[in-house]
Structures are given as C-alpha cells and as structure tokens.
C-alpha cells in the first residue's frame, strides 16, 4: 500500500511516498531555513506564504521520484496538527483537495506521533512493542509508551520549554546561529562540557516530568557574569561581550545538562516500564551526544533513524498514515480540520 504524506506544520514543505509504512519511495523536503535565518526564528506569515509557493511542486516531485502517477497512490496522509495554524492550513487544504479530486482515502495525522514513525522507515530491524519513545523536538519533549501502533500513553513531559526550544533560545542568546540545535552541537565540539555545572531540574524522583526553564536562566546568569554585565543589561548586547571560547564552553555545558536530564529520565522510564525497544524522535534526536549517551547508559540496543528523518518530513507522516489506513481511520475531506493545539 503506497501512502502519499504531506507535511507543512512549521517551516518545511514536505511530501513523500512510503510503501507499507516502511519503505521510502520518495522523500522531498523544501526547507525555509534561509528565509527565517535573518529573523533568528520562524516567522509564521512568511512560512505560510512560502508553503503556498512550494506545496504543489513538492507533491509533484515526490510522485516523480517514486516513479508513480496517481493510480499508484492508495491514500493521502496529512499533518493536521500541532503546528503553526497558517502553515497547517496550506497542507490540509492541499490534501483535502487532492483527496476529493483524485478520490483517495484521507488520513489526519498527529505530527508528534508521526515523529516516532521515522524509526520504522528503511530499516531491517523496526522497533518492537512495547516501545518507549523519547520525543524531543522544537515544540515537544515527552516520554510516550506505545503498547502497539495507535495505542499509546504519555508518561511524562517537560513542564515548560521543549528540549529543541531550549537549544534554539540558548543559541540565540549566544548568537550562534539558526536553527539552534545544530549550532549549539557544533560550538560544543570546541567547548569544555565541564566548564560550568548547571542545575538539572527533576520534579520528584518517581516523576517523568522535567523542566528546562531553570537551566536557561542559569546559562543566562553565567553568561552575564562572564561578560561582567548585571541582570538588567539588554540581552542583545550580551553575546558581543563573550569570547568564542566562553560561548563554546557555555554551549557544551548546556548541551551536557540537557542530555544528562533526558538520559536520566529515560533510564528511569526504562527500568519502570521494561519496554522491548527504545526510540528517540523529533529534531533533537539528531543530537549526537544524546544518541551516544543513550546508547552508553541504556541496557538495550537502540537503532537510530537517519538524521534527516528526525527533523520534519512527510515520510514519517506517510508511515503513520499506513497504520491509520489499516485501522480504517479514513475521514472525509470535509471532516479534516487543521488544529494547531492537537495533543498526543
Ligand atoms: N543536532 C541537533 N541537536 C539538538 N537539537 C537539534 C539538532 N538538530 C535539530 N535540533 C532541534 O530540533 C528542533 C526542530 O525539530 P522539529 O523539526 O522536529 O521540531 P518542530 O517540528 O519545530 O516541533 P514539533 O515537532 O514539536 O512540532 C529545533 O529546535 C532544532 O534546534
Ligand atoms: Mg516536528
């Protein structure tokens, strides 16, 4: 069964064709990173306008790369939420129009749930159930236990910032570039992770909730101290007062603290729920230190998805769409609603 996936929840316009929820036939992603970089973050109106321009060419390219025409597509899966409303509207409008015109079944997909399905793509050893997923992206940071496809429970999550959001904000503070995750990871390679001992917030030993906002403030206070500025100085002047080595050390110590927090909690979740497999999902799953530390500390073999399938793409949407199709979860085009606040 070939599912066409469509993804426009943030700043990537993406379409992909996946066979039987596993085999990648095509995966096209038009990134808007260059458009947003000069603003240091995603501008919703700019993102929505760019999706309009890119959407149909990206769908056509996904079909062409898969060497299929519409007769070879068995259904359309589209991200319905969560995400930026203006961006979601372009993908959902495209999907419902195509489903109507081409008479294809339509599946409304939860973007965060879809991130987990990157781990089922193009691998000879897909994860088995029960499956513990650490979802760490720009907007989410949560532990989810899947008993089977479409059957899951959220075990715990951040009480404030998502892991990716924390990376992005600290990168902005240190003026390291956009998107923040890769920028911090690369600065950290030249820094000393033991330079600063930042606090790890743990909300009770037996809780799988955690927090990154205190860490963010701790990095800010440390940077202000290094720069010789008091707490009232404007943040925009801070990075210019720091040396490159200080920024690299701050980045490395921050990254280590985030990774330690997540791996500590992952270890606790593993011991408590004893899953058959563990996966990481979402953009922060591309972080090499997180991958290495999870592998080192968890008593289980972990197969990681390729980096390019961790950040937003439509292949993960199509992979999950296959399971919606098997479960008979098609909806009519009129029922498809973009929901920016959709929860897992
Ligand atoms: N190597 C990396 N290390 C740490 N973070 C990274 C890395 N690569 C990407 N990220 C982070 O991943 C995030 C983007 O991931 P993703 O595209 O999954 O998020 P999103 O789609 O914006 O949010 P959500 O999926 O919650 O809606 C950004 O915050 C980015 O900084
Ligand atoms: Mg995402």
């Amino acid at each position: 069964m070939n599912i066409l996936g469509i993804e426009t929840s943030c700043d990537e316009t993406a379409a992909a064709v996946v066979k039987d929820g596993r085999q990648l036939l095509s995966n096209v992603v038009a990134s808007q990173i260059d458009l947003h970089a000069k603003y240091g973050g995603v501008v919703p109106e700019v993102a929505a306008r760019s999706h309009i321009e890119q959407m149909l060419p990206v769908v056509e390219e996904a079909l062409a790369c898969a060497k299929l025409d519409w007769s070879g597509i068995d259904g359309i899966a589209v991200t319905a939420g969560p995400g930026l409303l203006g961006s979601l509207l372009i993908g959902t409008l495209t999907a419902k129009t195509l489903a109507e015109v081409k008479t294809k079944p339509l599946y409304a997909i939860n973007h965060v749930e879809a991130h987990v399905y990157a781990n089922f793509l193009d691998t000879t050893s897909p994860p088995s159930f029960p499956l513990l997923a650490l979802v760490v992206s720009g907007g989410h940071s949560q532990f989810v236990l899947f008993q089977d496809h479409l059957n899951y429970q959220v075990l715990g999550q951040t009480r404030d910032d998502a892991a990716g959001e924390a990376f992005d904000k600290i990168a902005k503070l240190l003026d390291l570039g956009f998107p923040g995750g890769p920028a911090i990871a690369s600065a950290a390679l030249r820094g000393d992770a033991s330079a600063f001992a930042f606090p790890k917030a743990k909300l009770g030993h037996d809780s799988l909730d955690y927090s990154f906002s205190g860490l963010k403030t701790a990095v800010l206070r440390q940077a202000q101290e290094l720069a010789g500025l008091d707490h009232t100085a404007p943040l925009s002047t801070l990075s210019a007062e720091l040396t490159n080595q200080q920024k690299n050390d701050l980045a490395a110590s921050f990254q280590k603290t985030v990774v330690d927090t997540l791996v500590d909690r992952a270890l606790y979740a593993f011991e408590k729920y004893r899953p058959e497999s563990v996966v990481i999902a979402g953009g922060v799953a591309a972080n090499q230190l997180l991958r290495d530390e999870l592998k080192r500390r968890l008593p289980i073999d972990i197969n990681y998805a390729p980096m390019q399938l961790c950040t937003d793409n439509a292949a993960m949407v199509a992979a999950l769409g296959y399971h919606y199709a098997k479960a008979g979860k098609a909806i009519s085009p009129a029922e498809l609603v973009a929901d920016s606040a959709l929860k897992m």
Side-chain angles (χ1 to χ4, degrees):
M1 183 190 289
N2 295 331
I3 301 287
L4 171 72
I6 291 179
E7 155 66 40
T8 61
S9 67
C10 191
D11 60 336
E12 268 92 16
T13 318
V17 182
V18 171
K19 184 176 179 189
D20 296 338
R22 297 272 308 276
Q23 194 188 339
L24 213 57
L25 300 186
S26 65
N27 183 27
V28 181
V29 181
S31 169
Q32 304 174 4
I33 283 181
D34 295 347
L35 282 181
H36 301 285
K38 60 177 178 254
Y39 304 107
V42 176
V43 183
E45 289 77 9
V46 174
R49 227 167 284 151
S50 173
H51 284 310
I52 295 174
E53 288 164 11
Q54 302 279 0
M55 188 76 262
L56 289 177
V58 163
V59 168
E60 276 164 16
E61 195 181 334
L63 289 173
C65 291
K67 299 194 173 45
L68 289 172
D69 59 23
W70 280 100
S71 64
I73 297 296
D74 302 299
I76 300 174
V78 62
T79 296
L84 301 171
L85 188 59
S87 292
L88 289 167
L89 282 170
I90 310 305
T92 50
L93 190 59
T94 304
K96 68 166 84 181
T97 308
L98 289 172
E100 190 80 61
V101 172
K102 306 291 182 187
T103 54
K104 302 291 176 187
L106 180 63
Y107 307 100
I109 300 295
N110 180 311
H111 173 87
V112 186
E113 190 183 346
H115 267 304
V116 174
Y117 280 75
N119 292 284
F120 288 88
L121 285 164
D122 271 359
T123 169
T124 47
S125 48
S128 44
F129 296 98
L131 177 167
L132 174 68
L134 169 55
V135 183
V136 271
S137 59
H140 295 81
S141 231
Q142 49 193 206
F143 287 101
V144 188
L145 186 66
F146 284 72
Q147 294 300 344
D148 201 345
H149 296 294
L150 316 183
N151 175 7
Y152 57 81
Q153 132 194 46
V154 175
L155 303 174
Q157 56 201 317
T158 177
R159 294 273 179 92
D160 36 60
D161 287 7
E165 192 182 350
F167 270 95
D168 292 337
K169 285 183 179 158
I170 295 300
K172 195 164 183 179
L173 180 79
L174 301 178
D175 198 21
L176 291 174
F178 170 83
I184 294 267
S186 131
L189 291 175
R190 298 180 293 276
D192 174 5
S194 60
F196 309 106
F198 292 131
K200 272 189 280 172
K202 208 165 46 179
L203 306 166
H205 173 71
D206 56 353
S207 164
L208 282 168
D209 284 355
Y210 43 91
S211 152
F212 291 123
S213 79
L215 168 62
K216 240 174 32 189
T217 309
V219 177
L220 169 63
R221 295 288 176 253
Q222 185 63 64
Q224 286 167 327
E225 194 184 316
L226 291 169
L229 296 171
D230 76 20
H231 296 182
T232 58
L235 296 188
S236 54
T237 60
L238 180 58
S239 73
E241 303 299 322
L242 297 169
T243 65
N244 283 340
Q245 192 56 50
Q246 286 172 329
K247 290 189 199 182
N248 294 341
D249 289 347
L250 286 165
S253 303
F254 161 79
Q255 176 179 248
K256 179 179 185 307
T257 310
V258 173
V259 167
D260 282 351
T261 303
L262 293 172
V263 177
D264 278 356
R265 293 297 81 199
L267 201 52
Y268 174 72
F270 180 82
E271 278 160 7
K272 183 163 179 188
Y273 295 97
R274 290 281 153 190
E276 283 283 313
S277 57
V278 176
V279 303
I280 45 174
V284 183
N287 186 273
Q288 194 60 50
L289 184 68
L290 178 61
R291 290 175 172 233
D292 293 346
E293 284 299 290
L294 272 177
K295 255 207 160 91
R296 189 174 70 79
R297 291 185 53 197
L298 280 186
I300 189 171
D301 212 20
I302 308 181
N303 292 313
Y304 293 127
M307 302 276 188
Q308 73 274 13
L309 292 177
C310 292
T311 45
D312 289 352
N313 64 84
M316 64 187 198
V317 176
L320 176 54
Y322 169 74
H323 296 283
Y324 275 49
K326 284 203 0 179
K329 289 179 66 138
I331 58 169
S332 72
E335 285 174 295
L336 177 62
V337 177
D339 180 355
S340 59
L342 196 65
K343 293 259 182 301
M344 249 191 113

